[in-house]
Amino acid sequence: MGRANVMDCTPGELRALVEGLAEPPYRARQLCGWLYARGARGFAEMTDLPQAFRRRLAAEAAIATLPIARRQQAADGTEKFLFTLPDGKQIESVLIPDERRLTACISTQAGCALDCAFCLTGVMGFRRNLRAWEIVGQIVALGASAAGRRITNIVLMGMGEPLANAGQTFRALEILLCPHGPAFPPRRVTLSTVGLVPEMKALAEAGFGVNLAVSLSAPTDELRDRLMPINRRYPLGELLRACRAYPLKSHQRLTFEYVMLDQVNDTLDLARALVKLVRGLRCKVNLIPLNPAPGLPFRPSPRPRIEAFQRILKAAGVMATIRESRGREIFAACGMLALKTGAGDCEPSALSSGALSRG
Ligand code: SF4
């Protein structure tokens, strides 16, 4: 057995670890503070812990970090990070700054098995699930790279489907929300799913209180079956029932993401069908112009059609926004994460490690 990786421990597991080393439970809180608030990367740095405890920790535990393999910045300030995992697989994460927020978009899987037709990850396939520390490690590395700014929001929308890796994703959420650790408020964390219904229920029952975004992209089963194969397993009726059952606090609304595909899902009749589908739900529809990429058989809807689609939603009282593309030229925008640099090239590792996209 190797040494325990403290970055992979939930708060309860950290407590068990320190108690196993004959220390009182509050040492786990101190340890958390050092790891996340102060960014310690060695036990020797933790100077308010007793020396003997630090020595025992160093003998029995390790602090694993994710090395940044590449970092690119787009003209709009969006930054994309490539990480190499211990087994050589690679993943990407994105930091998206705006005036008030610094949002980290992180991955939960290397690749993705769900094969959505408008997504490069679907084209490139699944490699493996990330462990909790590899999910949290992206936040730690991005935070350390953020030049004095603090990450304010987290979106689990990077490579992969978070709920297809629910066990490790839930463990990562426990760590990220821990008040003695990274301490992200649940209202600033959004999990995006294509709609794995049993895991949506499990997420609701776990009571994290995070925001839920559902990638919808079609308001009829016939069309969604074609765009998102998961719909054949969990059709819209079942998905919408799970959405209605998701507990929302008074300040929260569900988000439905709708990737706008020219002449495919952008007609005004489909906008009206969408209105019917989400009627009565406290929600927002986020219209996302497709970021076109080689290998995807779609074009983005023209702006006037997206605006007309939005007008139908708004006129029916459905909150609807149009997402502005960020970091497109470095392949950091939604649906473009594919281990590419944006210069038309593709890292050799992309061919063996899979692609990523914000699901
Ligand atoms: S959109 Fe999300 S779930 Fe679908 S293939 Fe891409 S990463 Fe996977």
Side-chain angles (χ1 to χ4, degrees):
M1 280 289 288
R3 290 181 296 165
N5 172 13
V6 288
M7 302 300 280
D8 203 43
C9 291
T10 62
E13 290 165 350
L14 264 192
R15 227 170 14 251
L17 178 79
V18 303
E19 283 174 0
L21 297 174
E23 290 288 332
Y26 71 84
R27 293 277 184 233
R29 293 198 293 275
Q30 285 180 291
L31 191 51
C32 256
W34 274 106
L35 292 173
Y36 297 106
R38 302 202 235 182
R41 291 298 158 257
F43 297 113
E45 295 170 44
M46 304 178 180
T47 44
D48 60 357
L49 300 183
Q51 242 179 28
F53 177 45
R54 282 187 265 156
R55 272 199 301 275
R56 280 202 309 279
L57 271 175
E60 309 227 355
I63 305 173
T65 52
L66 279 186
I68 296 173
R70 188 177 61 216
R71 182 174 177 172
Q72 287 174 276
Q73 189 166 40
D76 64 12
T78 301
E79 280 197 273
K80 189 171 74 164
F81 296 78
L82 175 74
F83 294 99
T84 303
L85 306 175
D87 62 358
K89 303 268 187 298
Q90 293 187 307
I91 54 166
E92 286 178 321
S93 319
V94 181
L95 259 187
I96 308 150
D98 66 24
E99 268 170 35
R100 291 175 301 115
R101 287 176 304 197
L102 183 62
T103 301
C105 176
I106 58 173
S107 297
T108 51
Q109 298 181 303
C112 183
L114 293 184
D115 210 16
C116 302
F118 45 79
C119 172
L120 284 176
T121 314
V123 174
M124 296 184 72
F126 176 71
R127 293 302 174 265
R128 74 164 170 87
N129 284 328
L130 300 192
R131 292 195 53 90
W133 78 268
E134 293 168 326
I135 300 171
V136 174
Q138 295 166 67
I139 291 296
V140 172
L142 265 51
S145 310
R149 283 192 73 178
R150 205 180 138 79
I151 293 172
T152 57
N153 293 64
I154 298 176
V155 291
L156 287 82
M157 290 188 189
M159 187 181 206
E161 159 58 54
L163 294 183
N165 183 19
Q168 294 298 320
T169 297
F170 290 1
R171 286 168 53 80
L173 284 176
E174 258 193 79
I175 299 169
L176 291 169
L177 303 180
C178 171
H180 307 294
F184 282 94
R187 68 176 188 284
R188 297 199 175 275
V189 179
T190 301
L191 183 147
S192 175
T193 179
V194 290
L196 302 188
V197 167
E199 289 78 11
M200 286 170 71
K201 289 179 185 159
L203 178 71
E205 278 160 20
F208 291 117
V210 297
N211 303 307
L212 183 65
V214 175
S215 177
L216 197 63
S217 293
T220 67
D221 280 321
E222 189 270 325
L223 179 57
R224 199 164 187 265
D225 279 355
R226 283 197 283 131
L227 295 178
M228 304 176 73
I230 192 69
N231 198 67
R232 295 176 210 148
R233 205 181 331 155
Y234 303 115
L236 284 169
E238 225 179 300
L239 172 58
L240 268 289
R241 265 197 301 283
C243 290
R244 288 178 203 284
Y246 189 76
L248 295 175
K249 301 214 173 69
S250 54
H251 63 270
Q252 277 181 314
R253 19 179 107 239
L254 284 175
T255 300
F256 289 108
E257 287 153 355
Y258 198 102
V259 178
M260 299 293 291
L261 309 171
D262 185 26
Q263 317 253 357
V264 175
N265 65 354
D266 59 355
T267 66
L268 301 188
D269 278 348
L270 288 173
R272 288 180 201 107
L274 181 55
V275 166
K276 274 198 196 128
L277 192 71
V278 303
R279 183 161 285 148
L281 262 166
R282 184 150 23 104
C283 69
K284 173 179 97 170
V285 176
N286 200 3
L287 302 172
I288 306 171
L290 174 78
N291 289 301
L296 296 182
F298 303 108
R299 288 183 310 271
S301 304
R303 185 77 187 194
R305 193 149 352 112
I306 299 176
E307 286 170 0
F309 198 97
Q310 181 190 34
R311 274 196 299 280
I312 300 241
L313 297 179
K314 282 182 155 177
V318 177
M319 186 187 279
T321 52
I322 300 174
R323 184 189 290 172
E324 300 308 326
S325 179
R326 299 287 307 263
R328 190 183 279 180
E329 80 272 26
I330 56 166
F331 277 68
C334 188
M336 296 185 83
L337 299 180
L339 307 179
K340 293 180 179 186
T341 60
D345 53 341
C346 185
E347 296 286 295
S349 52
L351 304 174
S352 60
S353 308
L356 67 154
S357 157
R358 285 191 263 161

